[in-house]
Amino acid sequence: MSGLLDRRWFARALAGAGAMALSACDQLNQSKSVKAVVFSAEGLTRRVQRLILSPGQLAPEYQPSDISPSFRPNGSVGVDDDHYRAAVADGFKDWRLQIDGLVDHPLSLSLADLRARSTRTQITRHDCVEGWSCIAKWKGALLGPLLHEAGLKPTARFIVFSCADLIDPGAGAHYYESIGLADAFHPQTLLAYEMNDQPLPVAHGAPLRLRVERQLGYKQAKYVMRVSAVSSLAPINGGKGGYWEDSTGYEWYAGI
């Protein structure tokens, strides 16, 4: 059974089925048959993982010698917004992360604040649904303690990430993604502000990106600006929990 959970197995399964679907990593193929293969594989992975893994089961971690010499950016590689470009030029000194929604104590945190919170450093593998993988070292604030600090209300069921990059400039719509509480409180889930011992590059989501290591690349939201606790995903855009889930029908749970 453990083979079903191996990241390489998932990539081989997609390739063997002829899956040419692309996620946030690149342009998506719209074939219904291809998406059906992807969805069935992801659904199986989710069910198996939830059945046999403990909530704190860790994704594999690697040695510094395993770090990829280059790490391919996925999805957006920048934000076409004057305010964001000004923040980059200023080193994100005035940037703040908002934590709100169904919480008792909404938070507004600077990068310095996040660095002063509970942190974790880990070397993990990023797997794109296309089939490619890269290994990098990430450092960031653990999401679970931040949510504890904000004080989740009993009705909170999901955590939604709102990002700086626009998906519809005309409408002012921003990229979004979400995860459940089991993954939000996982010991490897963090809001990363460093990559390979350097400040997170713009192409990889500066100043802050989600790392939820037991899920595929399109769940790793970049340019995170706001973290909101909600009771339901239904009222959020298309109601499926994320931009790619709403726009293409990708599975909300992308476990590996």
Side-chain angles (χ1 to χ4, degrees):
M1 293 293 287
S2 61
L4 292 176
L5 303 177
D6 187 87
R7 300 171 186 234
R8 287 169 294 182
W9 173 89
F10 187 79
R12 288 197 299 269
L14 292 179
M20 298 299 293
L22 306 180
S23 70
C25 307
D26 216 325
Q27 182 179 358
L28 287 160
N29 183 296
Q30 296 301 316
S31 166
K32 292 182 179 179
S33 62
V34 167
K35 288 194 286 186
V37 172
V38 176
F39 302 158
S40 63
E42 290 175 349
L44 173 62
T45 302
R46 173 179 55 80
R47 291 190 293 273
V48 171
Q49 190 177 56
R50 290 302 194 216
L51 280 171
I52 72 173
L53 289 185
S54 65
Q57 184 74 38
L58 300 181
E61 296 193 18
Y62 299 84
Q63 299 299 315
S65 59
D66 297 318
I67 293 173
S68 301
S70 63
F71 194 113
R72 180 177 174 179
N74 65 302
S76 302
V77 294
V79 176
D80 187 15
D81 177 81
D82 289 340
H83 294 292
Y84 178 81
R85 284 188 284 266
V88 172
D90 194 39
F92 297 103
K93 291 179 182 177
D94 296 323
W95 175 93
R96 302 190 78 82
L97 173 72
Q98 306 301 321
I99 300 180
D100 57 18
L102 296 175
V103 298
D104 293 322
H105 311 289
L107 302 175
S108 179
L109 304 172
S110 67
L111 278 177
D113 293 330
L114 289 169
R115 290 178 179 276
R117 295 323 198 257
S118 299
T119 65
R120 180 181 172 89
T121 300
Q122 57 200 28
I123 300 175
T124 52
R125 189 170 67 196
H126 177 104
D127 285 297
C128 179
V129 72
E130 286 184 271
W132 60 265
S133 300
C134 290
I135 294 174
K137 181 179 182 181
W138 307 97
K139 181 179 180 180
L142 287 163
L143 180 58
L146 291 175
L147 297 176
H148 278 307
E149 183 178 348
L152 289 184
K153 293 182 181 295
T155 51
R157 294 291 182 269
F158 304 95
I159 305 300
V160 177
F161 303 88
S162 302
C163 305
D165 48 334
L166 292 167
I167 54 177
D168 186 349
H174 292 262
Y175 190 88
Y176 56 99
E177 191 49 83
S178 66
I179 58 176
L181 296 187
D183 286 301
F185 286 95
H186 187 270
Q188 288 174 313
T189 298
L190 51 83
L191 296 172
Y193 45 73
E194 285 187 13
M195 177 181 179
N196 295 335
D197 298 317
Q198 299 294 325
L200 190 66
V202 168
H204 290 283
L208 204 66
R209 75 172 295 166
L210 175 66
R211 293 303 308 176
V212 52
E213 302 297 355
R214 299 195 302 181
Q215 297 203 41
L216 284 168
Y218 66 86
K219 299 294 290 189
Q220 320 292 331
K222 304 196 299 187
Y223 314 109
V224 175
M225 301 292 289
R226 181 182 176 193
V227 176
S228 301
V230 301
S231 60
S232 171
L233 299 176
I236 300 170
N237 294 293
K240 295 181 180 178
Y243 170 71
W244 292 107
E245 294 90 326
D246 285 335
S247 62
T248 70
Y250 257 49
E251 282 286 315
W252 173 74
Y253 185 81
I256 44 181

